[in-house]
Amino acid sequence: MTVNTAVAAGRVGLRRTVEWALPVVALVAAWEALARARGSIFLPPPSEVLQRVWEGYLAGSGDEGHALFTQHLIPSLGRMFAGYWLAVVLGVAGGVLFGLSRTAREYVQPLLDFGRAVPPPMLLGIFLIVFGVEDLPKILLIAFGSVWPILFNTMDGVAGVSQVKLDAGAIHGSRGFDRIRRVIIPGASPSMFAGFRISLSIALILMVITEFVAAKNGLGYTLLRSTRSFDYVEMWAALSVVAVLGVVLNAVLVVVERRLLAWHARDGARV
């Protein structure tokens, strides 16, 4: 990369950062001005919210120190990632299986459509009754709600792998599991990553919802507790942490997708 190219790339990156940051700064400034003008306890200024986030989740100062980070954020992330990765494993495995077999796909399609149509929050009570009130029902419900985009996107991606790629893999000796690993999965990976990103958002939402009932910690528990105790600064702080988590996790997944699927972008550019 030449110096001119690096400078041009830096300018593009700076411009994109500014374009992204300006609406955020404008929104925060408007929020601050409105909150100061109204003086409502229900809409605290973002400066107070950020101070609470800093003290509770980052700096470790104040009466509780890192309590909000260690007792609520970490357990929430643990449950969310456990459910999400379970959904990834089951969704990819089932998507590959049903994508490869049209007979199996047609046989289970009604059951899959029925499962996808059931709103996961409606099953929270059933999961708590069946699996107890600890972390297991929360993890399983997150997995249940998150698995469907991964499953269907993987299934469609596998079924859509062109016969040309399959024949090319056969010519090079790809058979059985080796064909799945070297031909099927790469060919279906763009659809799979689309499912991963959708499911990540669902997992984050279900993480909060599952902590509204029979929970002793977590961001959802913090939201509910702060609302009931009229601590609206704490409520907005927890909401802000959830929002930032969603943005950061999605950005990380986008970076991973771009790195792993760089070959797909190059192939598309050549077409």
Side-chain angles (χ1 to χ4, degrees):
M1 179 181 294
T2 64
V3 176
N4 292 334
T5 304
V7 172
R11 289 176 178 173
V12 172
L14 179 60
R15 186 178 70 251
R16 290 178 178 175
T17 302
V18 171
E19 291 175 350
W20 178 87
L22 279 178
V24 176
V25 173
L27 177 62
V28 172
W31 177 6
E32 182 79 22
L34 179 62
R36 295 291 180 184
R38 294 187 59 184
S40 172
I41 63 171
F42 303 107
L43 186 67
S47 55
E48 296 181 11
V49 175
L50 292 176
Q51 182 180 359
R52 184 68 63 88
V53 171
W54 175 259
E55 292 177 352
Y57 293 93
L58 301 174
S61 61
D63 296 334
E64 289 189 334
H66 274 107
L68 295 176
F69 182 86
T70 58
Q71 297 178 16
H72 298 293
L73 178 58
I74 296 301
S76 287
L77 289 177
R79 289 187 285 263
M80 188 199 78
F81 281 121
Y84 178 72
W85 285 114
L86 180 59
V88 169
V89 172
L90 296 177
V92 170
V96 171
L97 174 63
F98 300 137
L100 290 175
S101 174
R102 181 176 180 180
T103 301
R105 185 165 64 251
E106 292 177 349
Y107 183 77
V108 301
Q109 189 73 42
L111 294 177
L112 298 180
D113 290 336
F114 177 80
R116 179 175 57 175
V118 177
M122 292 182 60
L123 301 177
L124 179 57
I126 297 176
F127 274 59
L128 291 173
I129 293 173
V130 175
F131 300 105
V133 295
E134 299 300 328
D135 288 347
L136 181 60
K138 299 175 178 61
I139 293 172
L140 293 179
L141 188 64
I142 292 171
F144 174 82
S146 305
V147 73
W148 305 110
I150 301 174
L151 175 64
F152 281 95
N153 279 48
T154 301
M155 188 165 59
D156 292 341
V158 170
V161 175
S162 66
Q163 189 63 41
V164 174
K165 293 182 178 180
L166 296 176
D167 293 341
I171 293 174
H172 288 85
S174 295
R175 297 288 189 279
F177 180 77
D178 187 59
R179 185 182 71 158
I180 295 176
R181 181 177 63 88
R182 299 178 59 183
V183 181
I184 301 295
I185 296 296
S189 54
S191 296
M192 292 167 59
F193 267 96
F196 294 160
R197 293 179 63 182
I198 297 173
S199 292
L200 186 61
S201 299
I202 295 175
L204 186 65
I205 294 171
L206 291 177
M207 175 198 76
V208 175
I209 291 176
T210 56
E211 293 170 352
F212 285 162
V213 181
K216 299 178 181 179
N217 54 28
L219 293 174
Y221 170 81
T222 303
L223 278 169
L224 188 63
R225 183 192 64 180
S226 59
T227 303
R228 289 176 173 175
S229 60
F230 305 103
D231 187 356
Y232 294 107
V233 175
E234 183 64 45
M235 182 196 74
W236 281 101
L239 283 172
S240 300
V241 171
V242 172
V244 171
L245 275 178
V247 173
V248 171
L249 292 175
N250 182 72
V252 170
L253 191 55
V254 168
V255 171
V256 172
E257 179 182 4
R258 288 177 178 174
R259 289 184 177 274
L260 294 181
L261 300 185
W263 60 270
H264 184 263
R266 290 193 298 267
D267 289 348
R270 286 197 295 262
V271 173

